[in-house]
Amino acid sequence: MKAASKSLSLLDKTFHVNPLPGTRSIKLFYRLVGLLGPGFAQLAGSARGKGIGELPVAALGSAAQMIFAKLTDEEVDYVLNTLLEPCYMVEGATRVPAMLAFNTVFSGNLVAAHKLVLAALEVNYGDFFALLRAQGIDLSTAELPSNNAPAT
């Protein structure tokens, strides 16, 4: 069964988020688990039924430090390029690869950029998002500010 695609409107542009092929998806998943797993495990251990907003700042800071210490520029480039490779933006009648449009569209709009990345993660790994939610960690895009409003 093929994973579902998703369309979303960000900054008055339409993006189509498509799943990665199976082997690319699982390779990226294992890489992401290696990068993010320890920090998320610590966060889940601290959550114990609480929402992420209810956690002490120290727990969030410690988990964030574990996560961001491993995210080198090269890792971020690899993850973005791989995750967004099958995704595109619609420009009139043309499909523009998401990564070709990324710097132009999302310059100064990092909240919208993160919404696209989270949508791609949900399309490819949605079942794991459900596991995180069961642990009290909700990474859904609903908590982020509006797509077309600047973050303050």
Side-chain angles (χ1 to χ4, degrees), residues 10 19 23 25 38 43 48 57 59-60 63 73 80 86 89-90 95 98 127 130 132 138 142:
L10 297 168
T23 54
S25 179
L43 198 55
R48 296 199 174 115
V57 173
L60 292 172
D73 289 348
L80 285 176
M89 179 184 79
V90 177
R95 290 179 173 191
D127 47 349
L132 289 174
D138 188 357

Side-chain angles (χ1 to χ4, degrees), residues 132-150:
L132 289 174
R133 279 191 294 277
Q135 294 295 317
I137 301 168
D138 188 357
L139 301 176
S140 71
T141 57
E143 295 178 11
L144 295 176
S146 169
N147 295 340
N148 295 317

Side-chain angles (χ1 to χ4, degrees), residues 87-133:
C87 306
Y88 61 91
M89 179 184 79
V90 177
E91 186 98 84
T94 306
R95 290 179 173 191
V96 178
M99 284 308 296
L100 286 180
F102 196 89
N103 285 338
T104 302
V105 171
F106 297 115
S107 179
N109 296 294
L110 292 181
V111 169
H114 281 94
K115 284 188 175 192
L116 178 62
V117 171
L118 285 172
L121 288 168
E122 288 172 338
V123 164
N124 285 283
Y125 311 113
D127 47 349
F128 291 98
F129 276 75
L131 288 174
L132 289 174
R133 279 191 294 277

Side-chain angles (χ1 to χ4, degrees), residues 1-5 19 123-124:
M1 182 172 146
K2 185 177 179 185
S5 297
V123 164
N124 285 283

